[in-house]
Coordinates of all heavy atoms in Angstrom, one line a residue:
M21 N 25.8 -7.3 12.9 CA 25.6 -7.3 14.3 C 25.3 -5.8 14.8 O 24.4 -5.6 15.6 CB 26.7 -7.9 15.0 CG 26.6 -7.9 16.5 SD 27.9 -8.7 17.3 CE 28.0 -7.9 18.8
F22 N 26.1 -4.9 14.3 CA 26.0 -3.5 14.8 C 24.8 -2.8 14.1 O 24.5 -1.7 14.5 CB 27.3 -2.8 14.6 CG 28.4 -3.3 15.5 CD1 29.4 -4.1 15.0 CD2 28.3 -3.1 16.9 CE1 30.4 -4.6 15.8 CE2 29.3 -3.6 17.7 CZ 30.3 -4.3 17.2
G23 N 24.3 -3.4 13.0 CA 23.1 -2.8 12.4 C 21.9 -2.8 13.3 O 20.9 -2.1 13.0
L24 N 22.0 -3.6 14.3 CA 20.8 -3.7 15.2 C 20.6 -2.4 15.9 O 19.4 -2.1 16.2 CB 21.1 -4.8 16.2 CG 20.1 -5.0 17.4 CD1 18.8 -5.6 16.8 CD2 20.7 -6.0 18.4
F25 N 21.6 -1.6 16.2 CA 21.5 -0.4 17.0 C 21.3 0.8 16.1 O 21.1 1.9 16.6 CB 22.7 -0.2 17.9 CG 22.9 -1.3 18.8 CD1 23.9 -2.2 18.7 CD2 22.0 -1.5 19.9 CE1 24.1 -3.3 19.6 CE2 22.1 -2.5 20.8 CZ 23.1 -3.4 20.6
K26 N 21.3 0.7 14.8 CA 21.0 1.8 13.9 C 19.5 2.1 13.9 O 18.7 1.2 13.8 CB 21.5 1.5 12.5 CG 23.0 1.5 12.4 CD 23.5 1.3 11.0 CE 25.0 1.2 10.9 NZ 25.4 1.0 9.5
S27 N 19.2 3.4 13.8 CA 17.8 3.8 13.7 C 17.3 3.6 12.3 O 18.1 3.8 11.4 CB 17.6 5.2 14.2 OG 18.3 6.1 13.3
N28 N 16.1 3.3 12.2 CA 15.5 3.0 10.9 C 14.6 4.3 10.5 O 13.5 4.4 11.1 CB 14.7 1.8 10.9 CG 14.2 1.4 9.5 OD1 14.4 2.1 8.6 ND2 13.5 0.2 9.4
P29 N 15.1 5.1 9.6 CA 14.3 6.3 9.3 C 13.0 6.0 8.7 O 12.0 6.7 8.8 CB 15.2 7.1 8.4 CG 16.2 6.2 7.8 CD 16.3 5.1 8.9
S30 N 12.9 4.9 8.0 CA 11.7 4.5 7.3 C 10.6 4.2 8.3 O 9.4 4.5 8.1 CB 11.9 3.3 6.4 OG 10.8 2.8 5.9
K31 N 11.0 3.6 9.4 CA 10.0 3.3 10.5 C 9.4 4.5 11.1 O 8.2 4.6 11.3 CB 10.7 2.4 11.6 CG 9.8 1.8 12.6 CD 10.6 0.9 13.5 CE 9.6 0.2 14.5 NZ 10.4 -0.7 15.3
K32 N 10.2 5.5 11.3 CA 9.7 6.8 11.9 C 8.8 7.5 10.9 O 7.8 8.1 11.3 CB 10.9 7.7 12.2 CG 10.6 9.0 12.9 CD 11.8 9.7 13.3 CE 11.4 11.0 14.1 NZ 12.6 11.8 14.5
L33 N 9.2 7.5 9.6 CA 8.3 8.1 8.6 C 7.0 7.4 8.5 O 5.9 8.0 8.3 CB 9.0 8.1 7.3 CG 10.1 9.2 7.1 CD1 10.8 9.1 5.8 CD2 9.5 10.6 7.2
R34 N 7.0 6.1 8.6 CA 5.7 5.3 8.5 C 4.8 5.7 9.7 O 3.6 5.8 9.5 CB 6.0 3.8 8.5 CG 6.4 3.3 7.2 CD 6.5 1.8 7.3 NE 7.1 1.2 6.1 CZ 6.3 0.9 5.0 NH1 5.0 1.0 5.1 NH2 6.9 0.4 3.9
K35 N 5.4 5.9 10.8 CA 4.6 6.3 12.0 C 3.9 7.7 11.7 O 2.8 7.9 12.0 CB 5.4 6.3 13.2 CG 4.6 6.5 14.5 CD 5.5 6.3 15.7 CE 4.7 6.3 17.0 NZ 5.4 5.9 18.1
T36 N 4.8 8.6 11.2 CA 4.3 10.0 10.9 C 3.2 9.9 9.8 O 2.2 10.6 9.9 CB 5.4 10.9 10.4 OG1 6.5 10.9 11.4 CG2 5.0 12.3 10.1
Y37 N 3.4 9.0 8.8 CA 2.4 8.8 7.7 C 1.1 8.3 8.3 O 0.0 8.9 7.9 CB 3.0 7.8 6.7 CG 2.1 7.4 5.6 CD1 1.8 8.2 4.6 CD2 1.5 6.1 5.6 CE1 0.9 7.9 3.6 CE2 0.6 5.7 4.6 CZ 0.3 6.6 3.6 OH -0.5 6.2 2.6
D38 N 1.1 7.4 9.2 CA -0.1 6.8 9.8 C -0.8 7.9 10.6 O -2.0 8.0 10.6 CB 0.2 5.6 10.7 CG 0.7 4.4 9.9 OD1 0.3 4.3 8.7 OD2 1.3 3.5 10.5
I39 N -0.1 8.7 11.3 CA -0.7 9.8 12.1 C -1.4 10.8 11.2 O -2.5 11.2 11.5 CB 0.4 10.5 13.0 CG1 0.8 9.5 14.1 CG2 -0.2 11.8 13.6 CD1 2.0 10.0 14.9
K40 N -0.7 11.2 10.1 CA -1.3 12.1 9.1 C -2.6 11.6 8.5 O -3.6 12.3 8.4 CB -0.3 12.5 8.0 CG 0.8 13.4 8.4 CD 0.4 14.8 8.7 CE 1.5 15.6 9.1 NZ 1.2 16.9 9.6
L41 N -2.6 10.3 8.2 CA -3.8 9.7 7.6 C -4.9 9.7 8.6 O -6.1 9.9 8.3 CB -3.5 8.3 7.1 CG -2.7 8.2 5.8 CD1 -2.6 6.8 5.4 CD2 -3.5 9.0 4.7
E42 N -4.6 9.4 9.9 CA -5.6 9.4 10.9 C -6.2 10.8 11.1 O -7.4 11.0 11.2 CB -5.1 8.8 12.2 CG -6.1 8.7 13.3 CD -5.6 8.0 14.5 OE1 -4.4 7.6 14.6 OE2 -6.4 8.0 15.5
Q43 N -5.3 11.8 11.1 CA -5.8 13.2 11.3 C -6.7 13.6 10.1 O -7.7 14.2 10.3 CB -4.6 14.1 11.4 CG -3.9 14.0 12.7 CD -2.6 14.9 12.7 OE1 -2.1 15.3 11.6 NE2 -2.0 15.1 13.8
A44 N -6.3 13.1 8.9 CA -7.1 13.4 7.7 C -8.5 12.8 7.8 O -9.5 13.4 7.4 CB -6.4 13.0 6.5
M45 N -8.5 11.5 8.3 CA -9.8 10.8 8.4 C -10.7 11.6 9.4 O -11.9 11.8 9.1 CB -9.6 9.4 8.9 CG -10.8 8.6 9.1 SD -10.6 7.1 10.1 CE -10.1 7.8 11.7
L46 N -10.2 12.0 10.5 CA -10.9 12.7 11.5 C -11.5 14.1 10.9 O -12.6 14.5 11.2 CB -10.1 12.9 12.8 CG -9.8 11.7 13.5 CD1 -8.9 12.0 14.7 CD2 -11.1 11.0 14.0
A47 N -10.6 14.7 10.2 CA -11.0 16.0 9.5 C -12.2 15.8 8.6 O -13.1 16.5 8.5 CB -9.9 16.7 8.9
Q48 N -12.1 14.7 7.8 CA -13.1 14.3 6.8 C -14.4 14.0 7.6 O -15.5 14.5 7.1 CB -12.7 13.2 6.0 CG -13.7 12.8 4.9 CD -13.2 11.6 4.1 OE1 -12.5 10.7 4.6 NE2 -13.6 11.6 2.8
R49 N -14.4 13.3 8.7 CA -15.6 13.0 9.4 C -16.2 14.3 10.0 O -17.5 14.3 10.1 CB -15.2 12.1 10.6 CG -15.0 10.7 10.1 CD -14.8 9.8 11.3 NE -14.6 8.4 10.9 CZ -14.4 7.4 11.7 NH1 -14.2 7.7 13.0 NH2 -14.2 6.2 11.3
K50 N -15.4 15.3 10.3 CA -16.0 16.5 10.8 C -16.5 17.4 9.7 O -17.2 18.4 10.0 CB -14.9 17.3 11.6 CG -14.5 16.7 12.9 CD -13.4 17.5 13.6 CE -13.0 16.9 14.8 NZ -11.9 17.6 15.5
G51 N -16.2 17.1 8.5 CA -16.7 17.8 7.3 C -15.7 18.9 6.9 O -16.1 19.8 6.1
D52 N -14.5 18.9 7.4 CA -13.5 19.9 7.0 C -12.7 19.3 5.9 O -11.6 18.8 6.0 CB -12.6 20.2 8.2 CG -11.7 21.4 8.0 OD1 -11.8 22.0 6.9 OD2 -11.0 21.7 9.0
I53 N -13.2 19.5 4.7 CA -12.6 18.9 3.5 C -11.3 19.6 3.1 O -10.3 19.0 2.6 CB -13.6 19.0 2.3 CG1 -14.9 18.3 2.6 CG2 -13.0 18.4 1.0 CD1 -14.7 16.8 3.0
K54 N -11.2 20.9 3.4 CA -9.9 21.6 3.1 C -8.8 21.0 3.9 O -7.7 20.8 3.4 CB -10.1 23.1 3.4 CG -8.9 23.9 3.0 CD -9.1 25.4 3.3 CE -7.9 26.2 2.9 NZ -8.2 27.7 3.1
T55 N -9.0 20.8 5.2 CA -7.9 20.3 6.1 C -7.6 18.8 5.7 O -6.5 18.4 5.6 CB -8.4 20.3 7.5 OG1 -8.6 21.7 7.9 CG2 -7.3 19.8 8.5
Y56 N -8.7 18.1 5.3 CA -8.6 16.7 4.8 C -7.6 16.6 3.6 O -6.7 15.8 3.6 CB -9.9 16.1 4.5 CG -9.8 14.8 3.7 CD1 -9.5 13.7 4.3 CD2 -10.1 14.8 2.4 CE1 -9.4 12.5 3.6 CE2 -10.1 13.7 1.6 CZ -9.7 12.5 2.2 OH -9.6 11.3 1.5
S57 N -7.9 17.5 2.7 CA -7.0 17.5 1.5 C -5.6 17.9 1.8 O -4.6 17.3 1.2 CB -7.6 18.4 0.4 OG -7.7 19.7 0.8
M58 N -5.4 18.9 2.7 CA -4.0 19.3 3.0 C -3.3 18.1 3.7 O -2.1 17.8 3.4 CB -4.1 20.5 4.0 CG -4.1 21.8 3.3 SD -3.9 23.2 4.4 CE -4.0 22.6 6.0
L59 N -3.9 17.5 4.7 CA -3.3 16.4 5.4 C -3.0 15.2 4.5 O -2.0 14.5 4.6 CB -4.1 16.0 6.6 CG -4.2 17.0 7.7 CD1 -5.3 16.6 8.7 CD2 -2.9 17.1 8.4
T60 N -3.9 14.9 3.5 CA -3.7 13.8 2.6 C -2.6 14.1 1.7 O -1.7 13.2 1.4 CB -5.0 13.6 1.8 OG1 -6.1 13.4 2.7 CG2 -4.8 12.4 0.9
A61 N -2.4 15.4 1.3 CA -1.3 15.8 0.4 C 0.0 15.6 1.2 O 1.0 15.1 0.6 CB -1.5 17.2 -0.1
E62 N 0.0 16.0 2.4 CA 1.2 15.8 3.3 C 1.6 14.3 3.4 O 2.8 14.0 3.4 CB 1.0 16.4 4.6 CG 1.0 18.0 4.6 CD 0.8 18.5 6.0 OE1 1.1 17.8 7.0 OE2 0.3 19.7 6.1
A63 N 0.6 13.5 3.6 CA 0.8 12.1 3.8 C 1.3 11.5 2.5 O 2.2 10.6 2.5 CB -0.5 11.4 4.1
E64 N 0.9 12.0 1.3 CA 1.4 11.5 0.1 C 2.9 11.8 -0.1 O 3.7 11.0 -0.6 CB 0.6 12.0 -1.1 CG -0.8 11.5 -1.2 CD -0.7 10.0 -1.6 OE1 0.1 9.6 -2.4 OE2 -1.6 9.2 -1.0
G65 N 3.3 13.0 0.3 CA 4.7 13.4 0.3 C 5.5 12.6 1.2 O 6.6 12.2 0.8
I66 N 5.0 12.2 2.4 CA 5.8 11.4 3.3 C 5.9 10.0 2.7 O 6.9 9.3 2.8 CB 5.0 11.3 4.6 CG1 5.1 12.7 5.3 CG2 5.6 10.2 5.5 CD1 4.3 12.8 6.6
W67 N 4.8 9.5 2.0 CA 4.9 8.2 1.4 C 5.9 8.1 0.3 O 6.7 7.1 0.2 CB 3.5 7.8 0.8 CG 3.5 6.4 0.3 CD1 3.5 6.0 -1.0 CD2 3.6 5.2 1.1 NE1 3.5 4.6 -1.1 CE2 3.6 4.1 0.2 CE3 3.7 4.9 2.5 CZ2 3.7 2.8 0.6 CZ3 3.8 3.6 2.9 CH2 3.8 2.6 2.0
K68 N 6.1 9.2 -0.5 CA 7.1 9.2 -1.5 C 8.5 9.2 -0.9 O 9.4 8.5 -1.4 CB 7.0 10.5 -2.4 CG 5.8 10.4 -3.3 CD 5.6 11.6 -4.1 CE 4.4 11.5 -5.0 NZ 4.2 12.7 -5.8
E69 N 8.7 9.8 0.3 CA 10.0 9.8 1.0 C 10.3 8.3 1.4 O 11.4 7.9 1.4 CB 10.0 10.7 2.2 CG 10.0 12.2 1.8 CD 10.0 13.0 3.1 OE1 10.6 12.6 4.1 OE2 9.3 14.1 3.0
I70 N 9.2 7.7 1.9 CA 9.4 6.3 2.4 C 9.8 5.4 1.3 O 10.7 4.6 1.4 CB 8.1 5.8 3.0 CG1 7.8 6.5 4.3 CG2 8.1 4.3 3.3 CD1 6.4 6.2 4.9
E71 N 9.1 5.5 0.1 CA 9.5 4.7 -1.0 C 10.9 5.0 -1.5 O 11.6 4.1 -1.9 CB 8.5 5.0 -2.2 CG 7.2 4.4 -2.0 CD 6.2 4.7 -3.1 OE1 6.4 5.7 -3.8 OE2 5.3 3.9 -3.3
A72 N 11.3 6.3 -1.5 CA 12.7 6.6 -1.9 C 13.7 6.0 -0.9 O 14.7 5.4 -1.4 CB 12.9 8.1 -1.9
L73 N 13.5 6.0 0.4 CA 14.4 5.4 1.3 C 14.5 3.9 1.2 O 15.6 3.4 1.2 CB 14.0 5.8 2.8 CG 14.3 7.2 3.3 CD1 13.6 7.4 4.6 CD2 15.8 7.3 3.4
E74 N 13.3 3.3 1.0 CA 13.3 1.8 0.9 C 14.0 1.4 -0.4 O 14.6 0.3 -0.5 CB 11.9 1.3 1.0 CG 11.4 1.4 2.4 CD 10.0 0.9 2.6 OE1 9.3 0.5 1.6 OE2 9.5 0.8 3.7
S75 N 13.9 2.2 -1.5 CA 14.5 1.8 -2.7 C 16.0 1.9 -2.6 O 16.8 1.2 -3.3 CB 14.0 2.6 -3.9 OG 14.4 4.0 -3.8
Q76 N 16.5 2.9 -1.8 CA 17.9 3.1 -1.6 C 18.5 1.9 -0.8 O 19.7 1.6 -1.0 CB 18.2 4.4 -0.9 CG 18.0 5.6 -1.8 CD 18.3 6.9 -1.0 OE1 18.4 6.9 0.2 NE2 18.2 8.0 -1.8
Q77 N 17.7 1.4 0.1 CA 18.2 0.4 1.1 C 18.4 -0.9 0.3 O 19.1 -1.8 0.8 CB 17.3 0.2 2.2 CG 17.3 1.4 3.2 CD 16.3 1.3 4.3 OE1 15.5 0.4 4.3 NE2 16.4 2.2 5.3
K78 N 17.7 -1.2 -0.7 CA 17.7 -2.4 -1.4 C 18.9 -2.5 -2.4 O 19.6 -1.8 -2.7 CB 16.5 -2.7 -2.2 CG 15.3 -3.0 -1.3 CD 14.1 -3.3 -2.1 CE 12.9 -3.6 -1.1 NZ 11.7 -3.9 -1.8

């Protein structure tokens, strides 16, 4: 019952992950490949954190 009020860190990280991927897509469309690769690398790091959190919760 009280788990309802706990924050879900995975949810926040997923939102950050989605934002990074969107920023990377926009950079790629503009032709800025260096920024695209940096943002994609950051998104991959965030995804690894998400997977680690979800594996701990199970």
Side-chain angles (χ1 to χ4, degrees):
M21 180 176 151
F22 294 106
L24 175 69
F25 299 111
K26 290 184 181 179
S27 64
N28 187 357
S30 174
K31 190 174 183 179
K32 186 175 182 180
L33 281 175
R34 281 186 185 269
K35 190 171 188 174
T36 305
Y37 174 75
D38 290 339
I39 291 170
K40 288 289 181 188
L41 284 181
E42 185 176 354
Q43 289 173 346
M45 177 196 63
L46 293 174
Q48 185 182 27
R49 285 185 179 175
K50 290 180 183 178
D52 190 359
I53 302 303
K54 184 177 180 181
T55 304
Y56 165 74
S57 61
M58 274 189 350
L59 291 169
T60 304
E62 288 178 25
E64 288 295 320
I66 292 170
W67 184 253
K68 288 180 183 180
E69 289 179 37
I70 292 170
E71 287 179 335
L73 282 173
E74 289 180 353
S75 67
Q76 288 177 353
Q77 290 176 353
K78 290 183 179 180

